[in-house]
């Protein structure tokens, strides 16, 4: 089964940390760029971080630079997002995404999402 499965979401206080993990299955994970997106209530979905297939390059949304770190382990088919110094505006559903993978009728594979809630 072609799938991305996120875990690690939950509640945190401002200034706290959470670590999200995404496990991939059903495709050659090591050949694909992986990303994390998030969508807050009433807001458009935005890319938070991106990591190249080998893990050698990463890009981040400006508002999370210096706070979030994306990483991957191709041997385990996982991509992670370490989130430090969380802010209330980080509250959103976070999605793991493989943008270049074609599945069914659409390009791009999405995980089911995991809720992150940051309180003041």
């Amino acid at each position: 089964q072609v799938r991305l499965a996120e875990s690690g979401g939950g509640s945190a206080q401002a200034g706290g940390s959470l670590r999200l993990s995404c496990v991939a299955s059903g495709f050659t994970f090591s050949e694909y760029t992986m990303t994390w997106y998030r969508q807050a209530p009433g807001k458009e979905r935005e890319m938070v971080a991106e990591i190249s297939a080998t893990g050698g390059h990463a890009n981040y949304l400006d508002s999370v630079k210096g706070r979030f770190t994306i990483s991957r382990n191709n041997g385990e088919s996982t991509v992670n997002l370490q989130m430090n110094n969380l802010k209330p505006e980080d509250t959103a559903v976070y999605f793991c995404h493989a943008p270049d993978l074609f599945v069914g009728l659409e390009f791009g594979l999405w995980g089911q999402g995991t809720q992150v809630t940051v309180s003041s």
Side-chain angles (χ1 to χ4, degrees), residues 101-118:
L101 188 66
F102 183 81
V103 181
L105 301 177
E106 303 286 340
F107 286 101
L109 175 66
W110 295 92
Q112 81 285 354
T114 185
Q115 177 71 49
V116 170
T117 302
V118 184

Side-chain angles (χ1 to χ4, degrees), residues 38-61:
R38 69 185 182 188
Q39 188 165 26
K43 306 293 184 180
E44 66 181 10
R45 192 170 295 187
E46 61 184 353
M47 190 179 75
V48 177
E50 177 183 50
I51 188 166
S52 63
T54 63
H57 300 279
N59 294 298
Y60 298 91
L61 182 68

Side-chain angles (χ1 to χ4, degrees), residues 4 8 11-13 16 31 35 51-52 58 72 75 80 96 99 102 108 113 115:
L4 298 173
S11 298
Q13 294 180 315
E31 295 182 358
T35 65
I51 188 166
S52 63
R72 67 191 296 161
N80 304 301
C96 183
F102 183 81
Q115 177 71 49

Side-chain angles (χ1 to χ4, degrees), residues 18-114:
L18 288 170
R19 184 176 177 87
L20 306 183
S21 183
C22 171
V23 180
S25 59
F27 66 98
T28 308
F29 179 78
S30 62
E31 295 182 358
Y32 290 89
T33 291
M34 295 298 298
T35 65
W36 285 95
Y37 277 71
R38 69 185 182 188
Q39 188 165 26
K43 306 293 184 180
E44 66 181 10
R45 192 170 295 187
E46 61 184 353
M47 190 179 75
V48 177
E50 177 183 50
I51 188 166
S52 63
T54 63
H57 300 279
N59 294 298
Y60 298 91
L61 182 68
D62 283 346
S63 62
V64 309
K65 287 180 179 177
R67 300 189 299 119
F68 291 10
T69 302
I70 189 170
S71 62
R72 67 191 296 161
N73 186 323
N74 285 342
E76 298 179 352
S77 295
T78 59
V79 59
N80 304 301
L81 186 68
Q82 179 67 45
M83 304 185 295
N84 297 328
N85 300 317
L86 285 162
K87 302 176 180 180
E89 49 264 46
D90 295 320
T91 296
V93 177
Y94 284 71
F95 299 89
C96 183
H97 180 50
D100 301 322
L101 188 66
F102 183 81
V103 181
L105 301 177
E106 303 286 340
F107 286 101
L109 175 66
W110 295 92
Q112 81 285 354
T114 185

